[in-house]
Amino acid sequence: NGIGSSSKHITNGALGACRAFRMARGARGRAAAAAPPTLLNRFAALTLRDGDNDQDAAGSVGGENEDEETEEEPEDQEPPERTPPSRPTTKFDYFAVLDFECTCDRAGWPAHEIIEFPVVFVNASTLQVDFEFRHFVRPIERARLTAFCQQLTGIQQSAVDAALSLEAVLAELHTFLRTHRLVCRRADRSPEHRLFVLCTDGHWDILKFLRPECARKKILLEPYWQRWVDVRRAFVHEFRCSNCSIEDMLEKFGLDFEGRPHSGVDDARNIARILIHLFKRGCKLVPDT
């Protein structure tokens, strides 16, 4: 009986402790429900820690707590800034920058003919000019240059009289491209054959000068004349500005025009300088035709 009485008192004491524990838990849950939202996480953490202590005090058998608390990251934390690449990338090996000079007069001209045909080749890896192509072109529809045209472009009548026709100069350019192993189709690109794309200052050179003249003279154009990078359009998009001249674009980069304005080869070289600075800024120079 003594043993039974003692066991009964121990059992009653244990049951009382359990009831007290459950009542405390219930009171704590009601307090958490009524607590402001900002205090809920703190209350839950306290409950978890107290529960663990109660469980240890009750002598429960088990391994280490598998659901260890982890520190929560702040929700409003901004993502780290990405470091820009050391050098922009492009899908072309060469940018072929061109700028034609054409027959003209102060009062206008019925049909322009190209009289200077320069192309400056910028290496997309080194951003250096590797080589240039330049030919004067002999006009045949109106063979005499006006005084205004000679003064504007610096091209003399004797230079165009001794020059090749447009069709012959286009053939010379094609030979030049093959000699330097430059290709216009991505499928033909290889370690030995570099991919190039034409680049212009606006759309005039190809859409207003080359194509109309070739149509009149029934000259077929190679596939690479079907697309080009408009450097001026890329500049305007990059700086959110209105249309501007070569001098305006150079000034934006702190540069001065080098050479003679309206000299085809000098214009092409300066457009190439603008292209290089746009490329360094990470501007995407892709054909938009």
Side-chain angles (χ1 to χ4, degrees), residues 101-109 112 115 144-156 260 262:
E101 297 301 324
C102 300
T103 54
C104 58
D105 200 4
R106 189 181 302 276
W109 201 251
H112 297 285
I115 56 176
R144 300 299 300 175
L145 302 181
T146 64
F148 172 80
C149 182
Q150 294 183 60
Q151 182 181 5
L152 179 69
T153 64
I155 300 173
Q156 302 301 312
R260 175 194 174 107
H262 301 294

Side-chain angles (χ1 to χ4, degrees), residues 49-151:
R49 287 197 293 270
D50 290 346
D52 291 341
N53 293 336
D54 293 338
Q55 192 173 18
D56 292 340
S60 60
V61 180
E64 296 183 359
N65 186 7
E66 297 179 357
D67 299 329
E68 295 182 355
E69 295 181 44
T70 57
E71 185 178 351
E72 296 183 359
E73 296 183 359
E75 295 182 359
D76 297 335
Q77 186 177 0
E78 295 182 359
E81 294 184 1
R82 291 181 297 177
T83 304
S86 57
R87 180 178 293 277
T89 57
T90 179
K91 57 184 178 180
F92 298 104
D93 301 306
Y94 277 92
F95 297 108
V97 184
L98 61 88
D99 189 85
F100 300 140
E101 297 301 324
C102 300
T103 54
C104 58
D105 200 4
R106 189 181 302 276
W109 201 251
H112 297 285
E113 290 181 277
I114 296 172
I115 56 176
E116 185 183 1
F117 197 123
V119 188
V120 175
F121 291 84
V122 177
N123 187 314
S125 297
T126 65
L127 299 183
Q128 299 294 321
V129 175
D130 280 359
F131 32 84
E132 296 181 349
F133 174 90
R134 187 194 185 197
H135 273 275
F136 290 114
V137 186
R138 175 168 48 86
I140 59 176
E141 296 172 340
R142 293 173 180 257
R144 300 299 300 175
L145 302 181
T146 64
F148 172 80
C149 182
Q150 294 183 60
Q151 182 181 5

Side-chain angles (χ1 to χ4, degrees), residues 44-272:
L46 289 173
T47 302
L48 179 59
R49 287 197 293 270
D50 290 346
D52 291 341
N53 293 336
D54 293 338
Q55 192 173 18
D56 292 340
S60 60
V61 180
E64 296 183 359
N65 186 7
E66 297 179 357
D67 299 329
E68 295 182 355
E69 295 181 44
T70 57
E71 185 178 351
E72 296 183 359
E73 296 183 359
E75 295 182 359
D76 297 335
Q77 186 177 0
E78 295 182 359
E81 294 184 1
R82 291 181 297 177
T83 304
S86 57
R87 180 178 293 277
T89 57
T90 179
K91 57 184 178 180
F92 298 104
D93 301 306
Y94 277 92
F95 297 108
V97 184
L98 61 88
D99 189 85
F100 300 140
E101 297 301 324
C102 300
T103 54
C104 58
D105 200 4
R106 189 181 302 276
W109 201 251
H112 297 285
E113 290 181 277
I114 296 172
I115 56 176
E116 185 183 1
F117 197 123
V119 188
V120 175
F121 291 84
V122 177
N123 187 314
S125 297
T126 65
L127 299 183
Q128 299 294 321
V129 175
D130 280 359
F131 32 84
E132 296 181 349
F133 174 90
R134 187 194 185 197
H135 273 275
F136 290 114
V137 186
R138 175 168 48 86
I140 59 176
E141 296 172 340
R142 293 173 180 257
R144 300 299 300 175
L145 302 181
T146 64
F148 172 80
C149 182
Q150 294 183 60
Q151 182 181 5
L152 179 69
T153 64
I155 300 173
Q156 302 301 312
Q157 184 67 48
S158 58
V160 296
D161 286 343
L164 298 172
S165 66
L166 177 62
E167 186 172 16
V169 171
L170 285 168
E172 287 289 316
L173 174 64
H174 193 66
T175 300
F176 181 92
L177 295 172
R178 293 180 63 182
T179 300
H180 288 83
R181 297 181 178 181
L182 297 176
V183 296
C184 66
R185 294 196 316 161
R186 188 164 302 280
D188 298 331
R189 189 184 193 184
S190 69
E192 295 78 24
H193 295 87
R194 284 81 57 86
L195 186 67
F196 83 97
V197 63
L198 295 169
C199 304
T200 66
D201 173 31
H203 63 274
W204 283 84
D205 293 272
I206 295 177
L207 292 184
K208 299 296 183 181
F209 297 152
L210 181 66
R211 285 185 180 178
E213 183 176 355
C214 288
R216 294 194 310 269
K217 297 178 178 180
K218 295 181 172 52
I219 300 172
L220 296 178
L221 290 171
E222 295 291 338
Y224 43 79
W225 292 106
Q226 300 303 314
R227 64 174 188 169
W228 60 91
V229 173
D230 188 335
V231 177
R232 182 178 301 200
R233 181 172 177 177
F235 181 93
V236 168
H237 183 269
E238 178 72 13
F239 290 100
R240 301 291 191 270
C241 59
S242 58
N243 207 8
C244 47
S245 65
I246 295 176
E247 289 82 357
D248 294 333
M249 292 187 283
L250 288 169
E251 184 179 358
K252 186 71 176 180
F253 294 118
L255 304 173
D256 295 323
F257 190 96
E258 295 180 354
R260 175 194 174 107
H262 301 294
S263 160
V265 68
D266 287 341
D267 283 351
R269 289 167 180 165
N270 282 281
I271 297 166

